[in-house]
Amino acid sequence: MTKFIGPEYLIGNAFIYLTDERSLALKVINRYCLALQKYWNLNNCDALICGEIKEALYEYCDYFSFIPFGKNAGTIILNSDVSIDDLKHRFVWHLLDGIDKDFEIVAKSLC
């Protein structure tokens, strides 16, 4: 049975595993998404990231902000009051066992 994973998990895990900064370019998120999907396909994992990043940013505005215009356009910002532990609690511990590790494995391959 296919496991549908929202893009908020992609964004949260990107902040946990891809950077020590409090901002990420949207292109990094997209590259991470493609790498995860490729990894799942190669490992016969029936998982799919589905949904709109724009909607996830809106729905999870307590965690993330987005810069749509200007010099830093296309940047996702981790809100100042959100810690890595907060992200792990919300975006790792709620994932199915196995899938949670995949986010970390793929992130290490991108770094």
Side-chain angles (χ1 to χ4, degrees):
M1 179 186 252
T2 303
K3 298 155 203 87
F4 296 102
I5 300 163
E8 64 274 10
Y9 289 92
L10 178 71
I11 299 165
N13 278 277
F15 276 108
I16 295 167
Y17 298 120
L18 286 179
T19 186
D20 292 330
E21 303 294 322
R22 298 194 65 86
S23 64
L24 278 169
L26 191 54
K27 66 182 179 182
V28 172
I29 299 293
N30 289 329
R31 189 177 68 164
Y32 190 31
C33 182
L34 292 172
L36 269 166
Q37 198 60 62
K38 182 177 180 180
Y39 179 83
W40 288 331
N41 291 344
L42 291 172
N43 290 284
N44 296 317
C45 180
D46 195 13
L48 180 65
I49 294 175
C50 61
E52 297 286 330
I53 289 177
K54 178 181 174 181
E55 293 297 320
L57 292 170
Y58 176 76
E59 290 181 28
Y60 290 87
C61 62
D62 291 349
Y63 293 91
F64 317 112
S65 301
F66 183 68
I67 301 173
F69 306 107
K71 179 179 147 186
N72 295 319
T75 301
I76 299 171
I77 306 293
L78 184 61
N79 293 344
S80 60
D81 61 337
V82 177
S83 71
I84 295 300
D85 284 337
D86 293 333
L87 293 176
K88 287 180 180 178
H89 183 264
R90 179 61 185 92
F91 299 110
V92 175
W93 297 346
H94 290 108
L95 287 168
L96 295 172
D97 197 33
I99 299 251
D100 58 343
K101 306 283 188 265
D102 295 344
F103 280 92
E104 183 176 9
I105 291 166
V106 171
K108 286 180 180 178
S109 74
L110 292 176
C111 294

